[in-house]
């Protein structure tokens, strides 16, 4: 008898949830069709972008990839590099990086190490998302340190990382870019057209 009652209650709960979901879907559909940014009967919601435009939730909208650096070109790439540089030089370097040593290298010309730039950009994208309490609560920074900062910085600054050839002496800073693996995606005057050095 208890099992029948529990099953009936669970079935009623599931039906109630389905009805609530249908009501929310209908409300979203009405909002989309009306194009109104006004408050709905459910009350004011924070479905607006920072510039005040209504967030678009259209069906069939094309998926937008994150603005990963290696997918950008022209002015968009330049703007993203400027913002990345501001973050690395203004936030990461002064607050997160310790003293440079043989085991923890850093290159002051890090922007010339494209593999490092890609990793730093990925870290910055994660930092933007995980330091916003609206998207991930107050545990986001901890997750960022654990899942992004520590492993990536260890790889960047370690003996096998992109800064391995860069040294810091008392009176000079040495800088050496690692060699590039031949690729059909880039060719320059130092290759024979097949990626081999001339």
């Amino acid at each position: 008898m208890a099992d029948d009652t529990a099953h009936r209650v669970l079935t009623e709960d599931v039906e109630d949830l389905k009805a609530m979901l249908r009501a929310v879907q209908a409300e979203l559909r009405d909002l989309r069709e009306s194009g109104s940014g006004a408050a709905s009967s459910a009350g004011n919601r924070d479905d607006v972008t920072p510039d005040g435009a209504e967030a678009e939730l259209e069906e069939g909208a094309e998926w937008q990839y994150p603005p990963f650096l290696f997918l950008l070109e022209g002015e968009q790439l330049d703007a993203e590099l400027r913002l990345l540089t501001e973050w690395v030089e203004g936030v990461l370097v002064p607050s997160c990086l310790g003293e440079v040593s043989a085991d923890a290298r850093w290159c002051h010309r890090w922007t010339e190490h494209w593999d490092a730039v890609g990793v730093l950009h990925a870290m910055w994208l994660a930092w933007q998302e995980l330091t916003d309490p609206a998207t991930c609560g107050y545990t986001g920074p901890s997750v960022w340190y654990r899942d992004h900062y520590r492993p990536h910085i260890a790889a960047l600054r370690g003996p096998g990382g992109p800064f391995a050839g860069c040294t810091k002496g008392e009176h000079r800073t040495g800088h050496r870019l690692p060699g590039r693996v031949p690729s059909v995606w880039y060719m320059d005057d130092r290759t024979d057209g097949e990626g081999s050095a001339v």
Side-chain angles (χ1 to χ4, degrees):
M1 189 66 150
D3 286 341
D4 289 339
T5 303
H7 179 65
R8 184 179 47 78
V9 169
L10 183 60
T11 303
E12 289 172 1
D13 288 346
V14 168
E15 292 304 317
D16 288 345
L17 288 171
K18 287 179 181 177
M20 288 174 18
L21 178 60
R22 283 190 296 272
V24 168
Q25 288 173 331
E27 187 175 342
L28 282 173
R29 196 171 28 258
D30 291 345
L31 285 172
R32 262 190 248 122
E33 289 170 2
S34 71
S36 168
S40 67
S41 60
N44 248 341
R45 295 176 4 153
D46 293 326
D47 286 348
V48 291
T49 57
D51 65 355
E54 182 179 348
E56 298 275 318
L57 296 175
E58 296 182 21
E59 288 180 29
E62 187 176 325
W63 168 255
Q64 232 183 4
Y65 291 96
F68 189 59
L69 199 66
F70 297 147
L71 301 176
L72 304 178
E73 297 175 337
E75 290 179 18
Q76 204 177 14
L77 174 62
D78 294 341
E80 196 76 3
L81 281 172
R82 272 192 304 279
L83 292 170
L84 174 63
T85 301
E86 287 177 16
W87 178 75
V88 170
E89 298 294 335
V91 175
L92 186 68
V93 171
S95 62
C96 297
L97 298 185
E99 182 65 30
V100 174
S101 69
D103 294 328
R105 297 173 187 256
W106 182 257
C107 183
H108 69 287
R109 293 167 57 182
W110 60 269
T111 56
E112 296 176 21
H113 297 269
W114 274 99
D115 48 347
V117 170
V119 171
L120 290 166
H121 187 256
M123 288 174 59
W124 178 52
L125 291 175
W127 181 83
Q128 289 177 76
E129 181 177 326
L130 293 170
T131 57
D132 181 2
T135 59
C136 59
Y138 293 100
T139 60
S142 176
V143 172
W144 182 79
Y145 272 105
R146 181 194 69 209
D147 294 348
H148 301 278
Y149 173 77
R150 292 204 188 282
H152 291 312
I153 287 296
L156 285 174
R157 298 184 75 188
F163 304 138
C166 301
T167 58
K168 179 185 172 209
E170 208 158 300
H171 299 291
R172 69 174 187 81
T173 300
H175 173 73
R176 181 177 62 82
L177 291 172
R180 293 176 82 179
V181 175
S183 170
V184 296
W185 292 105
Y186 59 86
M187 298 291 169
D188 60 24
D189 53 14
R190 293 176 294 169
T191 63
D192 61 8
E194 302 214 359
S196 301
V198 185

